[in-house]
Amino acid sequence: MRHAIWWQVYPLGFTGADTTGADRRPAHGLARIADWLDYAVRLGASGLALGPIFDSSTHGYDTVDHFRIDPRLGVDADFDDLVARAHQRGLRILLDGVFNHVGREHPAFAAPPGEGAPPGGGGAPPRPDWFVPTGATGPDGRPDYATFEGHDCLVTLRHANPAVADHVTEIMNHWLDRGADGWRLDAAYAVPAEFWARVLPRVRRAHPDAYLVGEVIHGDYPDIIHRTGLDAVTQYELWKAIWSSLNDANLFELSWALERHSGFLDTFVPLTFVGNHDVTRLASRLREPRHLAHALVVLCTVGGTPSVYYGDEQAFVGVKEDRAGGDDAVRPAFPAGADELAPHGWPIYRLHQDLIGLRRRHPWLHAARTRPLHLTNEQLTYETSAEGQRLLVTLNLAGNPADCPAPGAAQL
């Protein structure tokens, strides 16, 4: 992980698959992703972080079969080919594990057709002990079950049931056996820590080198690491501070977040990012386009395991909205080839290459701490250091040049 730089892809969006559930015709989307591996290598990535690839009803997070590749993305052979081609290029594969909930068409929840219940959740589930009853009943008199954050199509699993822990362990080991290198655990914050503490040691016994990172939005990150056994969690605090401090010309906010970030590094190395599949694109979030470069500099010069969301390296725009289909704008299709990307995006791609190159030449940055040396609303100079190495980084948000101290600087 000391050398890891992820290129994150949301497969169903990247390949232009229909995510409404209306058109689920088979395709070979994973093969299309494999054609972009050389692009990821040129960017400087050392890993491919995939969004959901398993059979689901619509957008990938309403899984119906964790052991089957979604037909819109292909078949087992497509997965094997993607893994082989990635590994040939030195790229690791991170899978997205949705284990807080399943879709209503999952066989553990959906009553089989012909037994007096419509597909998708009528009547009691075939495995009612896998789910959490609310005690209420629906308008049709059938029992009601807990869902994830009010999304009716996402039925929460009963994580206290040992059979659910066995099932998740089997899924994780199955795909690691097949060549995956780790898991991003979706909505890990919603799952009891005790569940992960039961499952993850069993996964590590079979795959001690697997990287296990949990999606955690807020909370006591180090405590979550201790109680779950995860390697890392997503650093949403730093993500928010980066764009917010740039928009408000308030680098005190960023400095404070970096102080907290350095504290986290005493326990674990967070997954860092300035964009992902769940948030408005950085190029749309920032009020001043030239500040995009400042965000990338921070991402590439502070401790963490950086992740670049596909399209951000080309300055893609897109606003997330709280409505049905509100994620579509930040999960678009990629073209068939790099020559079809817009010309205005390539300078940002080259900026990513330069900064990732800096990162790759200084792998000690993975666990580096930062210390502010000069701080105003619009200027921040910080030292980032580890293992007897140091870099000085100066940000200037003002429209004019500024004189900033650089104590001990030897070369630019």
Side-chain angles (χ1 to χ4, degrees):
M1 296 313 301
R2 175 179 169 90
H3 302 278
I5 307 283
W6 296 109
W7 189 51
Q8 184 200 357
V9 168
Y10 173 70
L12 292 171
F14 186 97
T15 59
D18 175 62
T19 56
T20 67
D23 182 1
R24 303 191 74 258
R25 284 176 293 180
H28 295 278
L30 292 183
R32 181 169 173 178
I33 294 172
D35 290 339
W36 283 88
L37 294 178
D38 288 334
Y39 170 93
V41 170
R42 288 194 298 271
L43 178 68
S46 58
L48 177 66
L50 294 170
I53 62 171
F54 307 122
D55 195 8
S56 75
S57 299
T58 60
H59 46 54
Y61 290 96
D62 48 357
T63 317
V64 300
D65 188 346
H66 289 91
F67 293 101
R68 183 188 186 209
I69 299 297
D70 193 295
R72 293 167 290 181
L73 297 175
V75 294
D76 275 3
D78 293 306
F79 175 80
D80 294 339
D81 182 65
L82 176 63
V83 170
R85 292 171 65 180
H87 286 174
Q88 286 168 3
R89 291 161 172 79
L91 294 170
R92 303 300 178 99
I93 297 288
L94 188 71
L95 298 181
D96 201 345
V98 187
F99 303 132
N100 175 69
H101 47 265
V102 297
R104 285 186 173 270
E105 294 180 343
H106 191 284
F109 188 81
E115 297 188 11
R127 297 178 181 176
D129 59 331
W130 278 39
F131 304 98
V132 183
T134 64
T137 56
D140 53 7
R142 297 187 176 104
D144 190 33
Y145 291 88
T147 58
F148 173 59
E149 297 184 352
H151 298 284
D152 189 61
C153 62
L154 307 177
V155 191
T156 302
L157 289 164
R158 187 200 293 266
H159 295 97
N161 184 344
V164 173
D166 291 344
H167 184 62
V168 171
T169 302
E170 183 183 5
I171 295 164
M172 294 180 69
N173 280 330
H174 172 82
W175 293 102
L176 291 169
D177 289 341
R178 292 281 301 276
D181 299 288
W183 287 93
R184 170 201 177 267
L185 300 173
D186 180 69
Y189 60 89
V191 177
E194 296 75 19
F195 178 81
W196 299 124
R198 288 194 299 270
V199 168
L200 301 189
R202 296 160 65 185
V203 174
R204 291 193 190 282
R205 280 196 292 272
H207 299 279
D209 294 329
Y211 176 62
L212 305 174
V213 55
E215 180 194 18
V216 177
I217 298 175
H218 44 66
D220 185 339
Y221 292 164
D223 180 64
I224 292 169
I225 292 291
H226 283 306
R227 291 190 296 117
T228 61
L230 288 162
D231 290 311
V233 298
T234 49
Q235 226 300 30
Y236 269 91
E237 279 192 23
L238 183 60
W239 161 78
K240 191 271 178 182
I242 290 173
W243 63 259
S244 178
S245 64
L246 296 177
N247 276 347
D248 295 343
N250 178 18
L251 289 173
F252 286 89
E253 179 184 3
L254 177 59
S255 181
W256 169 248
L258 288 174
E259 181 178 342
R260 283 183 54 80
H261 185 68
S262 290
F264 297 150
L265 288 160
D266 293 336
T267 304
F268 71 104
V269 178
L271 181 75
T272 51
F273 60 96
V274 291
N276 66 27
H277 64 297
D278 281 330
V279 301
T280 290
R281 292 271 184 181
L282 181 65
S284 293
R285 176 80 71 174
L286 294 175
R287 300 190 189 111
E288 173 53 65
R290 64 189 175 89
H291 288 166
L292 189 147
H294 293 86
L296 298 180
V297 166
V298 175
L299 177 68
C300 290
T301 60
V302 303
T305 302
S307 177
V308 176
Y309 183 51
Y310 83 98
D312 280 359
E313 77 283 351
Q314 294 282 345
F316 274 26
V317 296
V319 176
K320 176 183 171 68
E321 299 178 1
D322 292 326
R323 59 172 178 81
D327 294 312
D328 293 350
V330 298
R331 303 175 179 180
F334 237 43
D339 57 343
E340 297 181 33
L341 290 165
H344 69 260
W346 287 105
I348 301 302
Y349 181 87
R350 288 188 287 273
L351 177 61
H352 277 77
Q353 287 180 311
D354 288 344
L355 292 170
I356 292 173
L358 172 72
R359 181 84 178 198
R360 296 287 292 269
R361 290 192 300 275
H362 298 282
W364 56 267
L365 283 166
H366 183 243
R369 273 65 167 179
T370 58
R371 181 169 66 95
L373 302 178
H374 173 69
L375 178 60
T376 67
N377 283 340
E378 294 186 306
Q379 285 88 36
L380 168 62
T381 299
Y382 60 85
E383 175 189 75
T384 183
S385 61
E387 302 174 20
Q389 306 291 318
R390 71 194 284 264
L391 292 175
L392 297 184
V393 179
T394 294
L395 308 176
N396 176 24
L397 306 187
N400 300 310
D403 289 326
C404 299
Q411 64 186 43
L412 180 63

